[in-house]
């Protein structure tokens, strides 16, 4: 019994290592085969996924909490919030269309142009709003930096999710970090430093 358990655990460890290396084990009738799983090959690491989600949360919550606590009229808060939503959506859409074009997926030039216009407009609207705002320079810098952080992070999170989604549209759960994964990543990083 001990020998069978040992063989089983060795096989589980081997399959686990091969899965993380981009190789998957499939069973066809009575035959087991190993195939290269191209969807996970050169995919983002758990540490990178966790870092991008963390940056997104910090950027979005930083911007929104700053906006909530700002001494601005409600219409001004609405303006900055609408510009933020436009920027986030247009950034993801633009990144997706650029990648679709690069991968040979048909995308109309009109749609790509609309994405560029929406993305450029959102940035221009924020800049015009901040330049003409009557707030302290430090507040303007805060909004600008949290805006840029959120934009970068949402593009990267969307890229990670797309990299971990297969042809059937099923996204690997590793694209969405869990709190325990964050602790594991931190522990792994601290071991590398020592």
């Amino acid at each position: 019994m001990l020998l069978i358990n040992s063989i089983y655990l060795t096989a589980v460890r081997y399959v686990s290592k091969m899965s993380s290396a981009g190789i998957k084990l499939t069973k066809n009738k009575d035959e087991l085969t190993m195939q290269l799983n191209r969807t996970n090959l050169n995919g983002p690491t758990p540490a990178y996924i966790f870092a991008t989600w963390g940056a997104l949360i910090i950027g979005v919550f930083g911007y929104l909490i700053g906006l909530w606590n700002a001494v601005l009229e409600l219409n001004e808060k609405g303006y900055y919030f609408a510009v933020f939503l436009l920027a986030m959506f247009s950034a993801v859409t633009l990144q997706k269309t650029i990648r679709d074009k690069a991968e040979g997926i048909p995308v109309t030039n009109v749609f790509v142009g609309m994405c560029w216009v929406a993305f450029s407009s959102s940035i221009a609207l924020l800049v015009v709003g901040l330049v003409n705002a009557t707030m302290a320079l430090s507040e303007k810098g805060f909004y600008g930096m949290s805006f840029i952080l959120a934009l970068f992070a949402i593009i990267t999170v969307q890229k990670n999710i797309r990299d971990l989604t297969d042809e059937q549209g099923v996204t690997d759960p590793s694209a969405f970090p869990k709190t325990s994964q964050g602790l594991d990543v931190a522990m792994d990083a601290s071991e590398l430093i020592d």
Side-chain angles (χ1 to χ4, degrees):
M1 186 65 168
L2 183 61
L3 181 62
I4 292 172
N5 283 342
S6 176
I7 292 170
Y8 174 75
L9 289 175
T10 303
V12 167
R13 264 191 246 125
Y14 179 73
V15 170
S16 171
K17 284 182 182 178
M18 291 300 109
S19 296
S20 65
I23 298 173
K24 66 180 180 178
L25 191 63
T26 57
K27 182 177 179 183
N28 298 330
K29 296 185 182 179
D30 294 329
E31 184 178 307
L32 286 174
T33 58
M34 293 177 73
Q35 298 174 334
L36 185 61
N37 184 359
R38 296 199 186 278
T39 58
N40 289 336
L41 198 59
N42 297 325
T45 64
Y48 186 70
I49 291 170
F50 189 77
T52 56
W53 277 98
L56 179 63
I57 290 168
I58 290 168
V60 169
F61 281 118
Y63 188 90
L64 295 179
I65 290 170
L67 194 59
W68 180 266
N69 291 325
V71 183
L72 297 171
E73 296 292 323
L74 195 55
N75 60 344
E76 291 174 303
K77 288 183 180 185
Y79 172 81
Y80 287 111
F81 182 66
V83 166
F84 186 72
L85 290 179
L86 173 64
M88 300 297 278
F89 181 77
S90 63
V92 168
T93 308
L94 179 61
Q95 191 269 345
K96 182 192 177 317
T97 56
I98 289 172
R99 186 161 172 181
D100 284 350
K101 264 185 126 170
E103 292 178 353
I105 298 172
V107 179
T108 64
N109 289 333
V110 172
F111 187 72
V112 174
M114 288 172 34
C115 292
W116 275 109
V117 167
F119 183 69
S120 303
S121 297
S122 66
I123 293 172
L125 287 169
L126 181 77
V127 169
V128 168
L130 289 178
V131 166
N132 294 312
T134 58
M135 55 179 85
L137 190 57
S138 60
E139 287 181 277
K140 292 179 182 183
F142 168 79
Y143 285 115
M145 293 307 291
S146 59
F147 186 83
I148 290 169
L149 176 63
L151 279 181
F152 171 77
I154 199 162
I155 290 169
T156 310
V157 164
Q158 193 270 344
K159 180 200 172 300
N160 290 342
I161 291 172
R162 183 162 175 175
D163 286 345
L164 295 170
T165 301
D166 62 15
E167 294 82 23
Q168 289 78 32
V170 177
T171 302
D172 188 338
S174 67
F176 307 99
K178 297 168 185 57
T179 54
S180 61
Q181 180 185 9
L183 294 174
D184 294 341
V185 168
M187 294 302 289
D188 291 344
S190 67
E191 289 173 6
L192 291 174
I193 293 171
D194 291 339

